Amino acid sequence: MQVLETARQKVVQLLGGIEDVEEAVVRGERLHDGKCFAVAYVDLADDVVGRARDLHEFQERILGEDHFNSPGDLRWNKYIYIVAGPKSVGQPEFQRAKAVIEADEDFARKRVVSEDELASVLGAAQYFTPSVDSQEFDIVGEWGKLLAEAHIDGILDRPARTEMVERISSGQAERAPAPKKELSLDESDKLLHEKWLSSLRVESFRPVHDGKPPFDFGQVTLITGPNGTGKTSLLEAIEFFYCGQNRRARAGTAKVAGKLRGSDKELLATTVPSRLRARCLHWYNREEKNSAGLLNGFGRYNFLDTDAAFRVAADLNPQELPEDLSRLIVGSDASQVWSYVDKLAPEVQTAAERALLNVQDAQKTFEALQTKLKELQERPSDAKALSEAFRASLPLIGYRGVLPTAPFASADEAKPIQAAYSALQVLLAAGPACTTLASLGARSRAIDDARRTVEPLDTQAKAFDTQIAEIESQAGNFDAWAKLLVHWAEYVRVRYAHVRDEYIRCRNLVTAAGTKIGAFANFEVPTVDQAYKSIRLADALNGAIQSIQSASSAVISLEQLSASFGQAAAARARTAQELKTAVLATLKGGAPATTCPVCKTVHGEAALAAHIERITSELAHPTELTELSGKLSAAREGHKQWLAWKAFLEQLQQIALQLSLPSSQTCNEIVEAFSQARRDLEEAKANLQSASEALSRLHQAGMSDKEHDVLLSSVITVPTLTQNPYDVAAVEAQSNTYLNSAAQTREQIPPLRVQSELLLERITQHMAPLFDGGWRTRTSTSAGLAAFSQLQQETLALERQRDELLHYFDVGNETKLSDVEATFSGTLRALAEAVEAATREQTASADISRLQSDIKNQGEFTRELLMRSLNLQAASAALSKLRSELSLENATAKSLNAIRQEINDAFVRIHSPSEYEYVGSNGVLLRSKEDQEDWSLDKVSTGQRAAFALSVFLAVNRSAAKAGSMPFPVEIDFSTNMTVAPVVAGDGRRQGGLR
């Protein structure tokens, strides 16, 4: 059998523990630190088709005994590799045989490989090396260039979109320039990209790990555990160690330290921005303005985006695969920027459209203001001509003032004319007789002449009126005295004074009787035992006290005697009870039911029970004890009665003290005295009740003590009644005398009143011409002489208005006031026209100034809006260009094309069997090796998509190695377990290797 010798030599170099199983089959072990972790069987016969026909027999032959003799951890970790040489590949049935072999997974995984693939499948320590020809496509950098040209690269910082739109609009959307300070790596930072992390100590980061012992790492470290045990937190602590921050929390007081391979020196994680920016520049060749750029680079090249990778591997929605693939290839930072731009662009477009509308509205407003200004500037003015005509008319109507020299008439010039016109209106309102200024003077003279004639007549009339009033007052006094005496007679007839005195007397008697009996007023009269009626109270009280003492002694003696009988009585009672119990027990035990067991007497059944009860009761309650109890009860009752008798006598003693009786009085005398005091009190109360009712009836009739006393004080001043004011006949006679005197006095009034009325008629005749209707007045002839004062006041007021008129204008005495009014009205109309014209011209001038200022402000506002509109339009155009020419989809395609060889190298080594190869051109991602059929990512299996996602990550990591000296960790978080794979190449550069 032909053996592929060159392939055998490779196997010997790659595996340990080599031994021949049969002629063309070699068994070898894959070792780590001298320990076997997998067994490989390599078939070098170059007979793929033959092996497929006898696959099970071949497998039994080479695995059989070895399978069951292997330890448990190796029994299921065995692989059969069938090498396909030129002979096998040339056979027409090769592909079908290859598929049959690789589909069989019983006892061991099987692979058909070429001689060239041996090195990779047997685990040679190969590393991906940077491709000289490949160049990663930096989409964020390209976006930055395009946005910087449009002066809107501040978009890359992703502020709030509303803030960004405002910054674009105001032309302040450029990124702040990065500090010009030279960035150089700190000495302690240089080791970070030369050696991998060997241990990590978390002092303060997340509670799940804080203060725990350090974590140690190898070149490949697998971290497993249930959810919530801190797997992701540990990876984020590693991220914080390298970047000074992490994606979930970029601030705080974290304290993390680590050691590098081959060094015992502990390095403390730093948050100094300048050191972090220097790391970003030297590791990823990216000069960022802030330290967060380091986190973005680390997250893209050193930390697999497992969210995107998982969706690429597991998402069944074909429409979402491109987005997940883009995020995986260009990085989460670029994806976030693209998502931000994708949302910002339509908002900027909307803002640009709105800004353009604002510019158009502002331009219309600007043009409208210019048109209005032109109209005002071209409007004619007649203000000066009207002002001159008005002022020329003033001297012609007798104006006394100085004419103004201002070019235009003003409202102030109307003040003197208005004042004169107002005075003229008052004069014209005085009545139809006020036609000229001369008529006002005649009115004043007529009033003075009439007053001089009327004043003597008025004096005489007032003298008559005074005399009549005095007589009337005297008659009224007589009537008042007569009326007072009539009212007093009513009090005398009902004997009001006697009734009131009787009431007072009875009230005093009740008070005296009540005071005498005091608190015993409501006590019943006590009854004294016949034996004590003639005994003095003091003697009775002493006898009661002695009796109480004797009774108390008897009670005490009997109680002591009863106590001595108590114990014997208790013993007899127990004996009686025991006897009764024994007798009843005997009867129940069968003794004759009619014979007493005690005395052996015969009885009926019912009589026997009563007999037994009697003899036991007599035994329990002897006659001596019963008699003693009766005596004790009687002694106690006697003591109680003596106490009650003593209390009665003490109460009687209190009554004697209240009535001021001596203690030598007998008990019956005290009771009789108390009874008499009670009767006196009741009699006084009854008399008071009767007197009170009589007085109340008078009060109800309208009489009162106060009125009685007032009337009496007046009546006694009448000489005829002073001695006996209660003589009814004398009171009535005096009242009639007063009435007659009043009538006689009033007989003097009628002649005097006739003379007074004659004088009033003469006064009215002299005053009548002043009230003929020609002049308006507020008084009349009925006011008498007082009317002259009102007329004179009215005339003086009219004369003041006349003086006001003459102060401003020269008006003749005979000039008709109605003509003056017409002249003033015309003058005021002329002034109003002149002032209105001047106001229009002045307003137009002010409007012109205001419009010129508004036009200036509106022009500046329009230019500002135009600039904002242009800024937004330019930004919208730049964003539209970015979305069309540098879209995330295009960036993904370019990035895939730039690293297509690296993806393919990784993919064919990760996925086995190698059914597909990566194409990455002309819209084709994968192509089957067997039939060259094109496959999209959503058509292949989940495992193949997972392999592809990992291949993309490794390819990106590999292509980025040329950027600088990156740190070593490659972190993959698979939620339930995590792998941290620090790998170092010989030249100290991060090579993206996978072991």
Side-chain angles (χ1 to χ4, degrees), residues 156-203:
L156 297 177
D157 296 329
R158 302 193 302 279
R161 295 199 301 278
T162 52
E163 176 190 344
M164 193 68 244
V165 171
E166 176 59 28
R167 286 175 56 185
I168 291 172
S169 175
S170 59
Q172 299 177 354
E174 288 186 281
R175 254 185 170 181
K180 295 302 182 181
K181 182 179 178 181
E182 181 180 355
L183 297 174
S184 58
L185 272 179
D186 188 91
E187 285 299 323
S188 59
D189 292 347
K190 293 179 180 180
L191 297 175
L192 293 178
H193 66 272
E194 295 177 356
K195 298 180 180 181
W196 66 67
L197 185 64
S198 62
S199 70
L200 187 77
R201 181 175 60 83
V202 180
E203 182 175 327

Side-chain angles (χ1 to χ4, degrees), residues 392-449:
S393 68
L394 290 178
L396 301 178
I397 61 175
Y399 182 63
R400 297 177 182 275
V402 180
L403 297 178
T405 58
F408 301 123
S410 66
D412 291 340
E413 296 181 41
K415 290 180 180 179
I417 304 174
Q418 287 285 6
Y421 187 72
S422 297
L424 179 62
Q425 291 296 319
V426 174
L427 292 173
L428 290 172
C434 186
T435 57
T436 64
L437 296 180
S439 63
L440 178 60
R443 170 72 169 174
S444 180
R445 290 190 296 273
I447 293 172
D448 291 340
D449 293 343

Side-chain angles (χ1 to χ4, degrees), residues 723-942:
Q723 297 300 323
N724 191 4
Y726 293 100
D727 186 349
V728 176
V731 171
E732 292 177 347
Q734 184 62 45
S735 176
N736 291 332
T737 301
Y738 281 139
L739 289 175
N740 293 332
S741 297
Q744 293 173 3
T745 302
R746 286 192 176 93
E747 291 176 356
Q748 305 174 28
I749 294 176
L752 296 175
R753 186 161 288 163
V754 170
Q755 296 183 40
S756 175
E757 290 174 353
L758 291 175
L759 290 172
L760 291 175
E761 288 179 3
R762 292 176 61 188
I763 291 172
T764 301
Q765 291 174 359
H766 288 291
M767 294 177 64
L770 300 177
F771 299 93
D772 60 359
W775 295 85
R776 294 185 178 88
T777 179
R778 297 176 182 174
T779 187
S780 65
T781 56
S782 60
L785 192 62
F788 286 103
S789 298
Q790 179 65 29
L791 291 172
Q792 286 179 334
Q793 291 177 5
E794 293 173 352
T795 303
L796 288 174
L798 292 174
E799 288 174 349
R800 285 195 294 272
Q801 297 300 323
R802 177 199 63 193
D803 296 340
E804 179 76 4
L805 173 63
L806 294 177
H807 174 73
Y808 295 107
F809 288 90
D810 184 8
V811 179
N813 281 336
E814 301 300 331
T815 304
K816 290 185 177 181
L817 296 180
S818 58
D819 294 340
V820 177
E821 180 189 23
T823 302
F824 281 2
S825 297
T827 303
L828 288 172
R829 283 195 300 272
L831 175 60
E833 292 175 358
V835 170
E836 183 179 358
T839 301
R840 284 198 303 270
E841 186 159 333
Q842 292 170 355
T843 302
S845 178
D847 289 344
I848 289 172
S849 300
R850 178 179 54 79
L851 284 172
Q852 288 173 339
S853 175
D854 291 347
I855 289 171
K856 179 182 178 182
N857 295 335
Q858 186 65 25
E860 295 175 353
F861 179 63
T862 303
R863 285 190 293 275
E864 180 184 353
L865 290 179
L866 179 60
M867 184 58 65
R868 296 173 74 90
S869 177
L870 293 175
N871 290 338
L872 289 168
Q873 290 176 17
S876 180
L879 291 174
S880 178
K881 180 179 179 182
L882 183 149
R883 296 172 75 194
S884 62
E885 298 179 5
L886 293 174
S887 67
L888 189 64
E889 184 178 356
N890 292 340
T892 303
K894 289 184 179 181
S895 295
L896 284 173
N897 188 58
I899 58 175
R900 57 179 301 192
Q901 185 58 46
E902 287 82 352
I903 294 175
N904 200 44
D905 290 348
F907 184 70
V908 298
R909 293 171 57 190
I910 293 172
H911 184 260
S912 178
S914 182
E915 301 173 64
Y916 304 95
E917 61 181 353
Y918 172 70
V919 179
S921 62
N922 299 323
V924 179
L925 281 178
L926 301 175
R927 179 176 293 139
S928 64
K929 290 184 177 181
E930 181 176 351
D931 54 12
Q932 296 297 298
E933 182 181 355
D934 295 336
W935 291 76
S936 59
L937 197 58
D938 61 304
K939 301 299 183 183
V940 299
S941 67
T942 300

